[in-house]
Amino acid sequence: MNEEYIRSDLQRLAEGRPPRSARILQKVTTGISFLTDFLSEQYLDFYIPAGGSKIKFLTGRRGTGKTHFTNLFRTQAEEKNFLTVSFSATDVWLHDFREVYLEILRQCDLKEILENCAAQIIREMEFDPDEIHPGQTFMDYLSENNEADALTKNILRGELRRRFSRNPLLDHTFADCCSLLVGGILGHPVLEPASREMIMDFLHGDKTVKLSQMRAIGLSPTRVNKYNARHMLRSLAEIVQMAGYAGIMIVIDDLEVLQRRSTDQPIRYTKMRREDAYESIRQLIDDIDSMRYILFLVSFDRELIDNESYGLKSYQALWFRIQNEVIGIKFNRFADIIDMDRLSDQIYTAEVLMEMSEKLALVCSSADRPLSPLSREQAEELIERSRYGGIGLPYLVNRMLLEGGTQNG
């Protein structure tokens, strides 16, 4: 690995941010693996691929490892064939779920998903999609082999109807659009490039596409809005699974922006927008059991719980649904709120901190930056400091080692 890249990731660690490299991320991970491995087994291996859906909330003070945990868990999801989406609440409005859905759709690459759906149909019709040359449709391939008869075309149309238009789990607009797009990929029915682009733009929320233009190609569409966006998301998840993925993992970070009143943020929530955002999250919690193949991970600093005027407690309809999850003494790996503060208190012993420092020192050695791992006395000192400060132990370990390494180097 490039030494400059390693140094960049070490600087990120010193600033309390996780490394971008999945390899370094896994090398410096200590302690939280017992949780990520447990969640990976319970949700990524079994529950979500079997048709379940879940929302997990992640909270803790700065430096407790929330982003490190998120990146590690997301890497595990990708290794298990999940489609992953990640964005910050500082970049996407949350008070209108339409904006959330469109950001998820934008990151998913719908074109590739539908191409995979087309390949699955070809396999179910007992053909090999790998035998179709680039630029050639399935119907072109069948014609070359004298198999594009009326019966085969009828079977193909039946597959499209079964998967999309007559699928009760899909929004009718989303289903009809996907049916036409996948049919166009397969070559039956034929779809002109201009019509394909128009449908894709419409699905991605382009308001310049007129409904009359959509009707002209046989569609009766409804525009995506904050009322149908959750059903659209449910439909997207069904298509993702249909394309051969295990499911979709959606990470929303920096939720604490909802209760911050700074005017220098590009996204600033008024009281009304903040309450609309809380209501949107409440509705998602209520609707999650009607969805399939989706795992949400929503992350926020502890201040969102502690601030009773603007935080979660200020919107009782939402707080009532999650408050029991933050009460208790022992860390519960099944809890819907993952409290990194409580996790730190239980897993970050002096031995764990010393192991963490050894792993970090090993990574630093590959960048010609010799560091000495923490002594027991230093580890115990950090544990004591974390109890009275607002900074978590992983951050303190990184800071002590990397600042010391800079001075010694």
Side-chain angles (χ1 to χ4, degrees), residues 51 161-175 230-239 241-242 289-293:
R161 285 194 296 269
R162 180 178 68 84
R163 290 169 176 264
F164 301 107
S165 304
R166 295 181 182 174
N167 188 335
L169 298 176
L170 302 184
D171 174 86
H172 76 277
T173 295
F174 191 90
R230 284 184 300 281
H231 191 31
M232 290 286 194
L233 176 60
R234 169 182 169 173
S235 303
L236 175 62
E238 293 288 337
I239 298 295
Q241 194 275 339
M242 199 182 297
D289 287 339
S290 68
M291 299 180 180
R292 303 199 299 174
Y293 313 115

PDB file of all heavy atoms in Angstrom, residues 51 161-175 230-239 241-242 289-293:
ATOM      1  N   GLY A  51     -35.662 -11.756   4.118  1.00  0.00           N
ATOM      2  CA  GLY A  51     -36.837 -10.905   3.894  1.00  0.00           C
ATOM      3  C   GLY A  51     -37.163  -9.984   5.043  1.00  0.00           C
ATOM      4  O   GLY A  51     -38.208  -9.324   5.024  1.00  0.00           O
ATOM      5  N   ARG A 161     -44.168  -9.410 -16.602  1.00  0.00           N
ATOM      6  CA  ARG A 161     -45.408  -9.130 -15.860  1.00  0.00           C
ATOM      7  C   ARG A 161     -45.329  -9.711 -14.455  1.00  0.00           C
ATOM      8  O   ARG A 161     -45.718  -9.068 -13.480  1.00  0.00           O
ATOM      9  CB  ARG A 161     -46.611  -9.706 -16.616  1.00  0.00           C
ATOM     10  CG  ARG A 161     -47.031  -8.917 -17.834  1.00  0.00           C
ATOM     11  CD  ARG A 161     -48.405  -9.356 -18.312  1.00  0.00           C
ATOM     12  NE  ARG A 161     -48.398 -10.743 -18.767  1.00  0.00           N
ATOM     13  CZ  ARG A 161     -48.169 -11.130 -20.025  1.00  0.00           C
ATOM     14  NH1 ARG A 161     -47.919 -10.206 -20.953  1.00  0.00           N
ATOM     15  NH2 ARG A 161     -48.190 -12.396 -20.360  1.00  0.00           N
ATOM     16  N   ARG A 162     -44.850 -10.951 -14.352  1.00  0.00           N
ATOM     17  CA  ARG A 162     -44.800 -11.617 -13.043  1.00  0.00           C
ATOM     18  C   ARG A 162     -43.886 -10.880 -12.079  1.00  0.00           C
ATOM     19  O   ARG A 162     -44.212 -10.706 -10.901  1.00  0.00           O
ATOM     20  CB  ARG A 162     -44.320 -13.057 -13.221  1.00  0.00           C
ATOM     21  CG  ARG A 162     -44.233 -13.846 -11.925  1.00  0.00           C
ATOM     22  CD  ARG A 162     -43.791 -15.281 -12.193  1.00  0.00           C
ATOM     23  NE  ARG A 162     -42.424 -15.343 -12.643  1.00  0.00           N
ATOM     24  CZ  ARG A 162     -41.362 -15.360 -11.834  1.00  0.00           C
ATOM     25  NH1 ARG A 162     -41.529 -15.256 -10.509  1.00  0.00           N
ATOM     26  NH2 ARG A 162     -40.142 -15.459 -12.321  1.00  0.00           N
ATOM     27  N   ARG A 163     -42.739 -10.438 -12.560  1.00  0.00           N
ATOM     28  CA  ARG A 163     -41.756  -9.802 -11.689  1.00  0.00           C
ATOM     29  C   ARG A 163     -42.092  -8.347 -11.368  1.00  0.00           C
ATOM     30  O   ARG A 163     -41.758  -7.867 -10.291  1.00  0.00           O
ATOM     31  CB  ARG A 163     -40.367  -9.855 -12.341  1.00  0.00           C
ATOM     32  CG  ARG A 163     -39.774 -11.243 -12.386  1.00  0.00           C
ATOM     33  CD  ARG A 163     -38.549 -11.266 -13.283  1.00  0.00           C
ATOM     34  NE  ARG A 163     -37.927 -12.583 -13.259  1.00  0.00           N
ATOM     35  CZ  ARG A 163     -36.912 -12.925 -12.495  1.00  0.00           C
ATOM     36  NH1 ARG A 163     -36.392 -12.048 -11.658  1.00  0.00           N
ATOM     37  NH2 ARG A 163     -36.397 -14.138 -12.542  1.00  0.00           N
ATOM     38  N   PHE A 164     -42.725  -7.677 -12.304  1.00  0.00           N
ATOM     39  CA  PHE A 164     -42.914  -6.236 -12.134  1.00  0.00           C
ATOM     40  C   PHE A 164     -44.395  -5.834 -12.088  1.00  0.00           C
ATOM     41  O   PHE A 164     -44.931  -5.554 -11.016  1.00  0.00           O
ATOM     42  CB  PHE A 164     -42.188  -5.481 -13.259  1.00  0.00           C
ATOM     43  CG  PHE A 164     -40.712  -5.756 -13.302  1.00  0.00           C
ATOM     44  CD1 PHE A 164     -40.164  -6.550 -14.301  1.00  0.00           C
ATOM     45  CD2 PHE A 164     -39.852  -5.238 -12.337  1.00  0.00           C
ATOM     46  CE1 PHE A 164     -38.808  -6.811 -14.346  1.00  0.00           C
ATOM     47  CE2 PHE A 164     -38.495  -5.490 -12.363  1.00  0.00           C
ATOM     48  CZ  PHE A 164     -37.972  -6.287 -13.369  1.00  0.00           C
ATOM     49  N   SER A 165     -45.049  -5.793 -13.236  1.00  0.00           N
ATOM     50  CA  SER A 165     -46.384  -5.199 -13.318  1.00  0.00           C
ATOM     51  C   SER A 165     -47.409  -5.862 -12.408  1.00  0.00           C
ATOM     52  O   SER A 165     -48.301  -5.187 -11.871  1.00  0.00           O
ATOM     53  CB  SER A 165     -46.888  -5.260 -14.777  1.00  0.00           C
ATOM     54  OG  SER A 165     -45.962  -4.631 -15.633  1.00  0.00           O
ATOM     55  N   ARG A 166     -47.306  -7.167 -12.194  1.00  0.00           N
ATOM     56  CA  ARG A 166     -48.278  -7.879 -11.365  1.00  0.00           C
ATOM     57  C   ARG A 166     -47.726  -8.239  -9.983  1.00  0.00           C
ATOM     58  O   ARG A 166     -48.307  -9.063  -9.281  1.00  0.00           O
ATOM     59  CB  ARG A 166     -48.749  -9.141 -12.086  1.00  0.00           C
ATOM     60  CG  ARG A 166     -49.538  -8.843 -13.369  1.00  0.00           C
ATOM     61  CD  ARG A 166     -50.006 -10.110 -14.053  1.00  0.00           C
ATOM     62  NE  ARG A 166     -50.711  -9.807 -15.289  1.00  0.00           N
ATOM     63  CZ  ARG A 166     -51.131 -10.733 -16.160  1.00  0.00           C
ATOM     64  NH1 ARG A 166     -50.903 -12.024 -15.903  1.00  0.00           N
ATOM     65  NH2 ARG A 166     -51.759 -10.372 -17.266  1.00  0.00           N
ATOM     66  N   ASN A 167     -46.637  -7.614  -9.619  1.00  0.00           N
ATOM     67  CA  ASN A 167     -46.032  -7.863  -8.312  1.00  0.00           C
ATOM     68  C   ASN A 167     -46.707  -6.962  -7.277  1.00  0.00           C
ATOM     69  O   ASN A 167     -46.534  -5.740  -7.312  1.00  0.00           O
ATOM     70  CB  ASN A 167     -44.529  -7.587  -8.366  1.00  0.00           C
ATOM     71  CG  ASN A 167     -43.798  -8.019  -7.103  1.00  0.00           C
ATOM     72  OD1 ASN A 167     -44.391  -8.104  -6.035  1.00  0.00           O
ATOM     73  ND2 ASN A 167     -42.514  -8.276  -7.230  1.00  0.00           N
ATOM     74  N   PRO A 168     -47.473  -7.516  -6.332  1.00  0.00           N
ATOM     75  CA  PRO A 168     -48.205  -6.686  -5.369  1.00  0.00           C
ATOM     76  C   PRO A 168     -47.309  -5.939  -4.385  1.00  0.00           C
ATOM     77  O   PRO A 168     -47.774  -5.026  -3.689  1.00  0.00           O
ATOM     78  CB  PRO A 168     -49.084  -7.706  -4.632  1.00  0.00           C
ATOM     79  CG  PRO A 168     -48.346  -9.008  -4.756  1.00  0.00           C
ATOM     80  CD  PRO A 168     -47.695  -8.959  -6.093  1.00  0.00           C
ATOM     81  N   LEU A 169     -46.027  -6.310  -4.311  1.00  0.00           N
ATOM     82  CA  LEU A 169     -45.114  -5.661  -3.382  1.00  0.00           C
ATOM     83  C   LEU A 169     -44.482  -4.395  -3.956  1.00  0.00           C
ATOM     84  O   LEU A 169     -43.806  -3.660  -3.239  1.00  0.00           O
ATOM     85  CB  LEU A 169     -43.999  -6.635  -2.971  1.00  0.00           C
ATOM     86  CG  LEU A 169     -44.455  -7.895  -2.236  1.00  0.00           C
ATOM     87  CD1 LEU A 169     -43.280  -8.826  -1.983  1.00  0.00           C
ATOM     88  CD2 LEU A 169     -45.131  -7.536  -0.911  1.00  0.00           C
ATOM     89  N   LEU A 170     -44.718  -4.133  -5.241  1.00  0.00           N
ATOM     90  CA  LEU A 170     -44.105  -2.984  -5.895  1.00  0.00           C
ATOM     91  C   LEU A 170     -45.112  -1.869  -6.117  1.00  0.00           C
ATOM     92  O   LEU A 170     -46.288  -2.122  -6.420  1.00  0.00           O
ATOM     93  CB  LEU A 170     -43.511  -3.391  -7.251  1.00  0.00           C
ATOM     94  CG  LEU A 170     -42.448  -4.488  -7.272  1.00  0.00           C
ATOM     95  CD1 LEU A 170     -41.916  -4.666  -8.690  1.00  0.00           C
ATOM     96  CD2 LEU A 170     -41.312  -4.166  -6.322  1.00  0.00           C
ATOM     97  N   ASP A 171     -44.665  -0.629  -5.969  1.00  0.00           N
ATOM     98  CA  ASP A 171     -45.457   0.529  -6.360  1.00  0.00           C
ATOM     99  C   ASP A 171     -45.742   0.428  -7.856  1.00  0.00           C
ATOM    100  O   ASP A 171     -44.855   0.101  -8.643  1.00  0.00           O
ATOM    101  CB  ASP A 171     -44.674   1.805  -6.048  1.00  0.00           C
ATOM    102  CG  ASP A 171     -45.356   3.050  -6.555  1.00  0.00           C
ATOM    103  OD1 ASP A 171     -46.212   3.590  -5.834  1.00  0.00           O
ATOM    104  OD2 ASP A 171     -45.030   3.461  -7.687  1.00  0.00           O
ATOM    105  N   HIS A 172     -46.976   0.728  -8.266  1.00  0.00           N
ATOM    106  CA  HIS A 172     -47.360   0.473  -9.660  1.00  0.00           C
ATOM    107  C   HIS A 172     -46.549   1.320 -10.639  1.00  0.00           C
ATOM    108  O   HIS A 172     -46.162   0.847 -11.716  1.00  0.00           O
ATOM    109  CB  HIS A 172     -48.866   0.706  -9.856  1.00  0.00           C
ATOM    110  CG  HIS A 172     -49.263   2.140  -9.903  1.00  0.00           C
ATOM    111  ND1 HIS A 172     -49.484   2.898  -8.768  1.00  0.00           N
ATOM    112  CD2 HIS A 172     -49.461   2.986 -10.961  1.00  0.00           C
ATOM    113  CE1 HIS A 172     -49.814   4.133  -9.110  1.00  0.00           C
ATOM    114  NE2 HIS A 172     -49.800   4.219 -10.422  1.00  0.00           N
ATOM    115  N   THR A 173     -46.265   2.575 -10.288  1.00  0.00           N
ATOM    116  CA  THR A 173     -45.457   3.416 -11.171  1.00  0.00           C
ATOM    117  C   THR A 173     -44.052   2.862 -11.301  1.00  0.00           C
ATOM    118  O   THR A 173     -43.501   2.711 -12.408  1.00  0.00           O
ATOM    119  CB  THR A 173     -45.401   4.857 -10.645  1.00  0.00           C
ATOM    120  OG1 THR A 173     -46.707   5.425 -10.689  1.00  0.00           O
ATOM    121  CG2 THR A 173     -44.454   5.713 -11.474  1.00  0.00           C
ATOM    122  N   PHE A 174     -43.436   2.534 -10.165  1.00  0.00           N
ATOM    123  CA  PHE A 174     -42.083   1.984 -10.160  1.00  0.00           C
ATOM    124  C   PHE A 174     -42.047   0.674 -10.940  1.00  0.00           C
ATOM    125  O   PHE A 174     -41.128   0.437 -11.736  1.00  0.00           O
ATOM    126  CB  PHE A 174     -41.641   1.766  -8.710  1.00  0.00           C
ATOM    127  CG  PHE A 174     -40.185   1.451  -8.550  1.00  0.00           C
ATOM    128  CD1 PHE A 174     -39.252   2.463  -8.378  1.00  0.00           C
ATOM    129  CD2 PHE A 174     -39.730   0.137  -8.564  1.00  0.00           C
ATOM    130  CE1 PHE A 174     -37.903   2.175  -8.223  1.00  0.00           C
ATOM    131  CE2 PHE A 174     -38.394  -0.160  -8.407  1.00  0.00           C
ATOM    132  CZ  PHE A 174     -37.470   0.866  -8.242  1.00  0.00           C
ATOM    133  N   ALA A 175     -43.042  -0.169 -10.739  1.00  0.00           N
ATOM    134  CA  ALA A 175     -43.076  -1.477 -11.402  1.00  0.00           C
ATOM    135  C   ALA A 175     -43.214  -1.340 -12.908  1.00  0.00           C
ATOM    136  O   ALA A 175     -42.491  -2.001 -13.675  1.00  0.00           O
ATOM    137  CB  ALA A 175     -44.242  -2.301 -10.841  1.00  0.00           C
ATOM    138  N   ARG A 230     -41.680   6.113   0.859  1.00  0.00           N
ATOM    139  CA  ARG A 230     -41.327   4.893   1.602  1.00  0.00           C
ATOM    140  C   ARG A 230     -41.747   3.648   0.826  1.00  0.00           C
ATOM    141  O   ARG A 230     -41.049   2.628   0.846  1.00  0.00           O
ATOM    142  CB  ARG A 230     -41.959   4.919   2.998  1.00  0.00           C
ATOM    143  CG  ARG A 230     -41.252   5.839   3.976  1.00  0.00           C
ATOM    144  CD  ARG A 230     -41.850   5.758   5.374  1.00  0.00           C
ATOM    145  NE  ARG A 230     -43.256   6.131   5.393  1.00  0.00           N
ATOM    146  CZ  ARG A 230     -43.694   7.393   5.379  1.00  0.00           C
ATOM    147  NH1 ARG A 230     -42.832   8.386   5.365  1.00  0.00           N
ATOM    148  NH2 ARG A 230     -44.991   7.660   5.392  1.00  0.00           N
ATOM    149  N   HIS A 231     -42.887   3.724   0.132  1.00  0.00           N
ATOM    150  CA  HIS A 231     -43.308   2.591  -0.691  1.00  0.00           C
ATOM    151  C   HIS A 231     -42.374   2.437  -1.893  1.00  0.00           C
ATOM    152  O   HIS A 231     -42.086   1.316  -2.333  1.00  0.00           O
ATOM    153  CB  HIS A 231     -44.745   2.793  -1.156  1.00  0.00           C
ATOM    154  CG  HIS A 231     -45.356   1.583  -1.791  1.00  0.00           C
ATOM    155  ND1 HIS A 231     -45.014   0.285  -1.419  1.00  0.00           N
ATOM    156  CD2 HIS A 231     -46.273   1.447  -2.778  1.00  0.00           C
ATOM    157  CE1 HIS A 231     -45.701  -0.579  -2.148  1.00  0.00           C
ATOM    158  NE2 HIS A 231     -46.467   0.106  -2.983  1.00  0.00           N
ATOM    159  N   MET A 232     -41.889   3.560  -2.415  1.00  0.00           N
ATOM    160  CA  MET A 232     -40.895   3.503  -3.493  1.00  0.00           C
ATOM    161  C   MET A 232     -39.626   2.829  -3.003  1.00  0.00           C
ATOM    162  O   MET A 232     -39.015   2.014  -3.710  1.00  0.00           O
ATOM    163  CB  MET A 232     -40.583   4.915  -3.999  1.00  0.00           C
ATOM    164  CG  MET A 232     -41.706   5.576  -4.767  1.00  0.00           C
ATOM    165  SD  MET A 232     -41.894   4.866  -6.419  1.00  0.00           S
ATOM    166  CE  MET A 232     -42.938   6.090  -7.196  1.00  0.00           C
ATOM    167  N   LEU A 233     -39.209   3.161  -1.781  1.00  0.00           N
ATOM    168  CA  LEU A 233     -38.013   2.535  -1.215  1.00  0.00           C
ATOM    169  C   LEU A 233     -38.228   1.034  -1.043  1.00  0.00           C
ATOM    170  O   LEU A 233     -37.342   0.231  -1.335  1.00  0.00           O
ATOM    171  CB  LEU A 233     -37.670   3.175   0.123  1.00  0.00           C
ATOM    172  CG  LEU A 233     -36.480   2.552   0.874  1.00  0.00           C
ATOM    173  CD1 LEU A 233     -35.207   2.630   0.043  1.00  0.00           C
ATOM    174  CD2 LEU A 233     -36.282   3.226   2.225  1.00  0.00           C
ATOM    175  N   ARG A 234     -39.399   0.670  -0.562  1.00  0.00           N
ATOM    176  CA  ARG A 234     -39.724  -0.755  -0.438  1.00  0.00           C
ATOM    177  C   ARG A 234     -39.627  -1.435  -1.801  1.00  0.00           C
ATOM    178  O   ARG A 234     -39.080  -2.548  -1.917  1.00  0.00           O
ATOM    179  CB  ARG A 234     -41.141  -0.897   0.128  1.00  0.00           C
ATOM    180  CG  ARG A 234     -41.702  -2.300   0.066  1.00  0.00           C
ATOM    181  CD  ARG A 234     -43.123  -2.342   0.589  1.00  0.00           C
ATOM    182  NE  ARG A 234     -43.770  -3.627   0.295  1.00  0.00           N
ATOM    183  CZ  ARG A 234     -44.955  -3.979   0.745  1.00  0.00           C
ATOM    184  NH1 ARG A 234     -45.641  -3.161   1.518  1.00  0.00           N
ATOM    185  NH2 ARG A 234     -45.469  -5.142   0.436  1.00  0.00           N
ATOM    186  N   SER A 235     -40.118  -0.775  -2.847  1.00  0.00           N
ATOM    187  CA  SER A 235     -40.056  -1.336  -4.199  1.00  0.00           C
ATOM    188  C   SER A 235     -38.616  -1.467  -4.666  1.00  0.00           C
ATOM    189  O   SER A 235     -38.229  -2.474  -5.277  1.00  0.00           O
ATOM    190  CB  SER A 235     -40.840  -0.437  -5.166  1.00  0.00           C
ATOM    191  OG  SER A 235     -42.185  -0.283  -4.751  1.00  0.00           O
ATOM    192  N   LEU A 236     -37.806  -0.445  -4.381  1.00  0.00           N
ATOM    193  CA  LEU A 236     -36.397  -0.492  -4.763  1.00  0.00           C
ATOM    194  C   LEU A 236     -35.696  -1.671  -4.110  1.00  0.00           C
ATOM    195  O   LEU A 236     -34.909  -2.374  -4.749  1.00  0.00           O
ATOM    196  CB  LEU A 236     -35.716   0.824  -4.372  1.00  0.00           C
ATOM    197  CG  LEU A 236     -34.202   0.894  -4.585  1.00  0.00           C
ATOM    198  CD1 LEU A 236     -33.852   0.742  -6.062  1.00  0.00           C
ATOM    199  CD2 LEU A 236     -33.631   2.200  -4.031  1.00  0.00           C
ATOM    200  N   ALA A 237     -35.969  -1.895  -2.821  1.00  0.00           N
ATOM    201  CA  ALA A 237     -35.330  -3.009  -2.114  1.00  0.00           C
ATOM    202  C   ALA A 237     -35.717  -4.345  -2.743  1.00  0.00           C
ATOM    203  O   ALA A 237     -34.895  -5.271  -2.831  1.00  0.00           O
ATOM    204  CB  ALA A 237     -35.713  -2.981  -0.638  1.00  0.00           C
ATOM    205  N   GLU A 238     -36.971  -4.471  -3.179  1.00  0.00           N
ATOM    206  CA  GLU A 238     -37.407  -5.699  -3.839  1.00  0.00           C
ATOM    207  C   GLU A 238     -36.638  -5.914  -5.142  1.00  0.00           C
ATOM    208  O   GLU A 238     -36.222  -7.040  -5.454  1.00  0.00           O
ATOM    209  CB  GLU A 238     -38.912  -5.628  -4.129  1.00  0.00           C
ATOM    210  CG  GLU A 238     -39.799  -5.618  -2.898  1.00  0.00           C
ATOM    211  CD  GLU A 238     -39.858  -6.963  -2.195  1.00  0.00           C
ATOM    212  OE1 GLU A 238     -39.598  -8.004  -2.852  1.00  0.00           O
ATOM    213  OE2 GLU A 238     -40.172  -6.983  -0.991  1.00  0.00           O
ATOM    214  N   ILE A 239     -36.425  -4.825  -5.891  1.00  0.00           N
ATOM    215  CA  ILE A 239     -35.699  -4.917  -7.156  1.00  0.00           C
ATOM    216  C   ILE A 239     -34.227  -5.271  -6.904  1.00  0.00           C
ATOM    217  O   ILE A 239     -33.619  -6.048  -7.644  1.00  0.00           O
ATOM    218  CB  ILE A 239     -35.811  -3.586  -7.929  1.00  0.00           C
ATOM    219  CG1 ILE A 239     -37.263  -3.280  -8.283  1.00  0.00           C
ATOM    220  CG2 ILE A 239     -34.952  -3.624  -9.181  1.00  0.00           C
ATOM    221  CD1 ILE A 239     -37.886  -4.252  -9.243  1.00  0.00           C
ATOM    222  N   GLN A 241     -33.015  -7.017  -4.436  1.00  0.00           N
ATOM    223  CA  GLN A 241     -32.949  -8.455  -4.136  1.00  0.00           C
ATOM    224  C   GLN A 241     -33.186  -9.281  -5.403  1.00  0.00           C
ATOM    225  O   GLN A 241     -32.536 -10.314  -5.619  1.00  0.00           O
ATOM    226  CB  GLN A 241     -33.970  -8.794  -3.052  1.00  0.00           C
ATOM    227  CG  GLN A 241     -33.797 -10.150  -2.408  1.00  0.00           C
ATOM    228  CD  GLN A 241     -34.475 -11.275  -3.183  1.00  0.00           C
ATOM    229  OE1 GLN A 241     -35.382 -11.026  -3.983  1.00  0.00           O
ATOM    230  NE2 GLN A 241     -34.043 -12.499  -2.940  1.00  0.00           N
ATOM    231  N   MET A 242     -34.092  -8.817  -6.241  1.00  0.00           N
ATOM    232  CA  MET A 242     -34.381  -9.500  -7.497  1.00  0.00           C
ATOM    233  C   MET A 242     -33.153  -9.536  -8.411  1.00  0.00           C
ATOM    234  O   MET A 242     -32.977 -10.463  -9.211  1.00  0.00           O
ATOM    235  CB  MET A 242     -35.537  -8.768  -8.204  1.00  0.00           C
ATOM    236  CG  MET A 242     -36.263  -9.552  -9.260  1.00  0.00           C
ATOM    237  SD  MET A 242     -37.554  -8.528 -10.034  1.00  0.00           S
ATOM    238  CE  MET A 242     -38.638  -8.208  -8.641  1.00  0.00           C
ATOM    239  N   ASP A 289     -41.499  -2.821   9.310  1.00  0.00           N
ATOM    240  CA  ASP A 289     -41.899  -4.236   9.266  1.00  0.00           C
ATOM    241  C   ASP A 289     -42.617  -4.598   7.983  1.00  0.00           C
ATOM    242  O   ASP A 289     -42.764  -5.785   7.663  1.00  0.00           O
ATOM    243  CB  ASP A 289     -42.780  -4.567  10.477  1.00  0.00           C
ATOM    244  CG  ASP A 289     -41.987  -4.630  11.772  1.00  0.00           C
ATOM    245  OD1 ASP A 289     -40.762  -4.811  11.702  1.00  0.00           O
ATOM    246  OD2 ASP A 289     -42.587  -4.478  12.846  1.00  0.00           O
ATOM    247  N   SER A 290     -43.100  -3.604   7.241  1.00  0.00           N
ATOM    248  CA  SER A 290     -43.764  -3.884   5.965  1.00  0.00           C
ATOM    249  C   SER A 290     -42.769  -3.900   4.805  1.00  0.00           C
ATOM    250  O   SER A 290     -43.145  -4.177   3.670  1.00  0.00           O
ATOM    251  CB  SER A 290     -44.845  -2.837   5.687  1.00  0.00           C
ATOM    252  OG  SER A 290     -44.268  -1.561   5.445  1.00  0.00           O
ATOM    253  N   MET A 291     -41.497  -3.603   5.100  1.00  0.00           N
ATOM    254  CA  MET A 291     -40.451  -3.625   4.076  1.00  0.00           C
ATOM    255  C   MET A 291     -39.671  -4.935   4.162  1.00  0.00           C
ATOM    256  O   MET A 291     -39.772  -5.673   5.137  1.00  0.00           O
ATOM    257  CB  MET A 291     -39.498  -2.433   4.249  1.00  0.00           C
ATOM    258  CG  MET A 291     -40.159  -1.079   4.134  1.00  0.00           C
ATOM    259  SD  MET A 291     -38.965   0.275   4.344  1.00  0.00           S
ATOM    260  CE  MET A 291     -40.046   1.699   4.153  1.00  0.00           C
ATOM    261  N   ARG A 292     -38.870  -5.189   3.137  1.00  0.00           N
ATOM    262  CA  ARG A 292     -38.041  -6.390   3.116  1.00  0.00           C
ATOM    263  C   ARG A 292     -36.656  -6.049   2.579  1.00  0.00           C
ATOM    264  O   ARG A 292     -36.496  -5.130   1.777  1.00  0.00           O
ATOM    265  CB  ARG A 292     -38.673  -7.470   2.236  1.00  0.00           C
ATOM    266  CG  ARG A 292     -40.075  -7.871   2.644  1.00  0.00           C
ATOM    267  CD  ARG A 292     -40.473  -9.215   2.070  1.00  0.00           C
ATOM    268  NE  ARG A 292     -40.463  -9.242   0.620  1.00  0.00           N
ATOM    269  CZ  ARG A 292     -40.663 -10.355  -0.110  1.00  0.00           C
ATOM    270  NH1 ARG A 292     -40.858 -11.507   0.503  1.00  0.00           N
ATOM    271  NH2 ARG A 292     -40.646 -10.305  -1.425  1.00  0.00           N
ATOM    272  N   TYR A 293     -35.661  -6.799   3.049  1.00  0.00           N
ATOM    273  CA  TYR A 293     -34.288  -6.726   2.533  1.00  0.00           C
ATOM    274  C   TYR A 293     -33.611  -5.369   2.784  1.00  0.00           C
ATOM    275  O   TYR A 293     -32.747  -4.960   2.020  1.00  0.00           O
ATOM    276  CB  TYR A 293     -34.256  -7.036   1.022  1.00  0.00           C
ATOM    277  CG  TYR A 293     -35.041  -8.247   0.625  1.00  0.00           C
ATOM    278  CD1 TYR A 293     -36.165  -8.150  -0.201  1.00  0.00           C
ATOM    279  CD2 TYR A 293     -34.690  -9.515   1.089  1.00  0.00           C
ATOM    280  CE1 TYR A 293     -36.898  -9.261  -0.565  1.00  0.00           C
ATOM    281  CE2 TYR A 293     -35.414 -10.643   0.732  1.00  0.00           C
ATOM    282  CZ  TYR A 293     -36.524 -10.506  -0.089  1.00  0.00           C
ATOM    283  OH  TYR A 293     -37.255 -11.604  -0.443  1.00  0.00           O
TER     284      TYR A 293
END
